[in-house]
Structures are given as C-alpha cells and as structure tokens.
Amino acid sequence: MTNEIFEKFTAQVQTVLAPVQELNKLYFYNVEKLVEIQLNSARDYAEICLDQFRSVSEINDQKGLEAFITKQTETFKHIGEKVMADSQAVANIGTEFSTEAQKIAEKSVEAASAVVNVVPAAKKAPAAKKAA
C-alpha cells in the first residue's frame, strides 16, 4: 500500500517536473544560439575595425584618402546589413523559443489535467466498493 502511494506520488511529481526540465533544455539551447551569434558578431566587427585601421594606415596621399572615403560607404553598408542579419537571427530565436515554450505549456496543462482527472477517479473507485 505504501509503495503504491509512493509510486503514484513519484509519477505525479515527474509529470509536474517534466515541463520544467523541457523548458530548461529549451532555455539553454537558445542561450547557446545567442552566445554563438554574439561571438560571431564580435569577431566580424573586430575584423571590420582592423580593416579600417589597415586602410587608414595605407593613406599616403589625396588619392589614397579618396579611396578610403569611397570604401567607407561600402563598409557602412556592410555593417548595416550585418546588424540587420544579427537582429533578425535574434528575433527568430525569440519567436522559436516562444513557440516551443507554448507547446510545452500546452502539454503541461494536458498532463496536469490528466493527473487531476485520474486522481478523483481512483478515489471514487474504493468508495464505490464500500457502498456495495
């Protein structure tokens, strides 16, 4: 009798904690993706800065200055595109996280409802036997 109660309690606890574990896995998976985006962005922006320093150091005359200024337009365009791509990637991660978290929440509600519906039925069954 005690083992049966303990097993039911353990099963209910596992049912309740399963969604929390799923959310933790989802959270850490998305944190990894965000860190990867940040590291790639930091590396790309560092390369852009180093290229800028190299370009400035190569200016020796008016023609070199004009070439540098012309290149700035391309560089700013590239930076703008990079910022937009990074922003879109982060937004996609947020959308995916929200969708997956919603699915986990729905499964959790269904599981909790099933546990709640099973427990009263189990309690009613012994009561019916006593009345008979």
Side-chain angles (χ1 to χ4, degrees):
M1 178 73 171
T2 305
N3 285 340
E4 184 179 322
I5 292 171
F6 183 72
E7 289 173 3
K8 286 181 182 180
F9 176 75
T10 302
Q12 289 174 353
V13 168
Q14 288 174 345
T15 301
V16 171
L17 292 181
V20 174
Q21 291 173 335
E22 284 186 66
L23 281 173
N24 281 338
K25 288 178 185 177
L26 178 64
Y27 174 76
F28 285 113
Y29 174 75
N30 283 289
V31 167
E32 286 177 337
K33 288 168 67 174
L34 288 172
V35 168
E36 183 179 336
I37 289 171
Q38 289 177 334
L39 290 174
N40 288 337
S41 292
R43 184 176 32 254
D44 291 345
Y45 294 130
E47 287 177 17
I48 290 169
C49 288
L50 291 173
D51 286 343
Q52 290 295 306
F53 284 129
R54 281 187 206 104
S55 295
V56 167
S57 68
E58 294 172 358
I59 298 173
N60 295 329
D61 55 7
Q62 173 120 8
K63 200 171 192 178
L65 179 62
E66 289 173 1
F68 175 77
I69 292 171
T70 302
K71 186 178 176 184
Q72 292 305 297
T73 306
E74 296 170 18
T75 301
F76 289 135
K77 180 181 175 186
H78 175 70
I79 290 171
E81 290 170 352
K82 177 74 176 138
V83 168
M84 291 299 294
D86 290 345
S87 299
Q88 185 63 44
V90 170
N92 289 343
I93 289 171
T95 301
E96 290 172 12
F97 178 83
S98 177
T99 302
E100 291 301 314
Q102 182 77 24
K103 289 177 185 176
I104 292 169
E106 289 171 0
K107 286 191 324 189
S108 173
V109 168
E110 290 173 7
S113 296
V115 168
V116 169
N117 290 335
V118 168
V119 171
K123 288 182 180 178
K124 290 179 185 176
K129 289 181 182 177
K130 288 181 184 177

